[in-house]
Amino acid sequence: MTSHVGLLLVNLGTPDAPRPREVRRYLREFLSDPRVLDVPTLQRFLILELLILPRRPRVSAAAYQKIWTPQGSPLLVHSRALAGRVQERLGGAVRVELAMRYGNPSIASALDRFKRAGVDRLVVFPLYPQYSAAATGSTIARVLELAAPHWNTPYLQVIPPFYDHPAFLEARAEVARPYLADGTAERVFMSFHGLPERQVRRSDSTGSRCLVQADCCAAVGPANRYCYRAHCYATARALAERLGLTPEQVVVCFQSRLGRTPWLRPQTDQVLADEARKGVRKAVILSPGFVADCLETLEELGIRGVETWKANGGETLSLVPALNDSERFAEAVIEIAADNSTWLKREIAWNKGVAP
């Protein structure tokens, strides 16, 4: 029997090729999103066309060339493999599709495939552990925008951020443990993608907590339940506990800033330089906000981060891989989705011959 339930896994996106033309096309789509570059329309157009697109595509293409594989972009390769593992485990209970918020395979093409397959109940799973309007919010908005014109619109359920879900945390810890097993790491850097501070403040409906109170990220509550920074710190605390790390060992930092406006601090490249200068020699770095290895993990951390570390006196900086298509993460995706979707939970139970 063909399932009428679909699971749409959505990651951020990647250029089609590590060449300036393809990177320019990707950056134009990505940075034209008002949730990503959240400035007035004319200002966004001028920044993009006059400051970013004339130079950035060539620089980014050179970076992509360092990490590109024979199969293609690492992010796309790992995301496809993950979708395949999830589909294999679900069997015929649920149809699984992969899409990228920007680039290919597109969300529109995935919705078309679901429609042709007769799927009318769609579970949308943004593959971003921590919520941000620029990633999670943009993905949800795009799915709704593309689903709306259909005469028979699909019924939708959206999986919320899973920054504190035990299955995600244990899968992440499992990948990291071998890199900490010998006990020589003096520091463990947990590097998350950065955001402009204005976007973090905007997520606080009260305007009185995020980046205002000194302990604004000590816990997640009603005022900061959409706060990306608070989610990042919650993930870091939970991972540190699972990995048996002391507060002195763990440093939370933020990477990939763009432009001159204030972004979340401390910034990863500066932290790496500072800690190495202080005499720290052996460290481990992981990126709990990225579920698949990509430009930001492999090139920014694994190549440039290591260069910064060694240039300032550090000896060993070991990069922990992302979750990618690990078996534990595929199982976690299903568990997280089922915990948040009555449709999936029922379909999985029926497929196993168990009463839901």
Side-chain angles (χ1 to χ4, degrees), residues 35-275:
R35 285 177 174 267
V36 174
L37 197 53
D38 58 323
V39 296
T41 303
L42 178 58
Q43 183 181 353
R44 182 168 56 252
F45 173 81
L46 294 175
I47 291 173
L48 189 56
E49 299 296 333
L50 299 181
L51 299 179
I52 297 176
L53 292 181
R55 295 183 292 272
R56 188 66 176 253
R58 188 171 298 279
V59 174
S60 294
Y64 273 110
Q65 288 167 13
K66 296 177 182 178
I67 64 158
W68 212 260
T69 73
Q71 294 77 32
S73 163
L75 183 140
L76 182 56
V77 170
H78 292 308
S79 297
R80 277 179 171 157
L82 172 66
R85 282 191 184 273
V86 173
Q87 182 69 84
E88 181 181 353
R89 282 161 175 73
L90 290 174
V94 175
R95 182 182 179 93
V96 180
E97 293 284 353
L98 171 71
M100 296 290 164
R101 171 60 185 91
Y102 313 100
N104 296 306
S106 67
I107 293 174
S109 66
L111 293 180
D112 286 342
R113 290 192 293 275
F114 280 129
K115 182 179 179 181
R116 291 195 299 270
V119 169
D120 59 7
R121 287 167 292 162
L122 184 59
V123 180
V124 182
F125 196 144
L127 291 170
Y128 324 117
Q130 300 81 23
Y131 176 87
S132 73
T136 319
S138 178
T139 294
I140 296 169
R142 184 61 173 161
V143 170
L144 295 175
E145 177 188 3
L146 291 170
H150 291 249
W151 183 256
N152 297 319
T153 57
Y155 303 106
L156 298 171
Q157 289 182 340
V158 179
I159 304 303
F162 50 98
Y163 64 94
D164 60 348
H165 195 286
F168 160 68
L169 293 169
E170 188 50 43
R172 199 68 189 90
E174 184 178 275
V175 175
R177 284 190 184 104
Y179 291 81
L180 299 166
D182 64 5
T184 61
E186 301 165 73
R187 295 288 185 277
V188 177
F189 302 109
M190 297 195 188
S191 181
F192 297 84
H193 200 290
L195 276 184
E197 289 184 356
R198 66 176 181 271
Q199 292 189 10
V200 174
R201 290 193 177 94
R202 193 174 177 181
S203 71
D204 178 3
S205 59
T206 69
S208 62
R209 183 174 179 86
C210 291
L211 299 180
V212 175
Q213 298 180 17
D215 63 343
C216 61
C217 292
V220 178
N224 64 351
R225 66 186 184 277
Y226 288 106
C227 177
Y228 173 77
R229 184 173 182 266
H231 288 186
C232 292
Y233 275 95
T235 297
R237 287 192 297 269
L239 279 178
E241 181 178 356
R242 278 172 167 76
L243 294 170
L245 301 172
T246 66
E248 293 74 25
Q249 281 181 284
V250 178
V251 180
V252 175
C253 45
F254 300 90
Q255 62 184 93
S256 311
R257 64 188 180 275
L258 175 68
R260 298 180 180 179
T261 57
W263 279 52
L264 291 177
R265 291 167 287 181
Q267 293 161 350
T268 300
D269 55 350
Q270 295 175 358
V271 165
L272 292 177
D274 290 344
E275 290 295 315

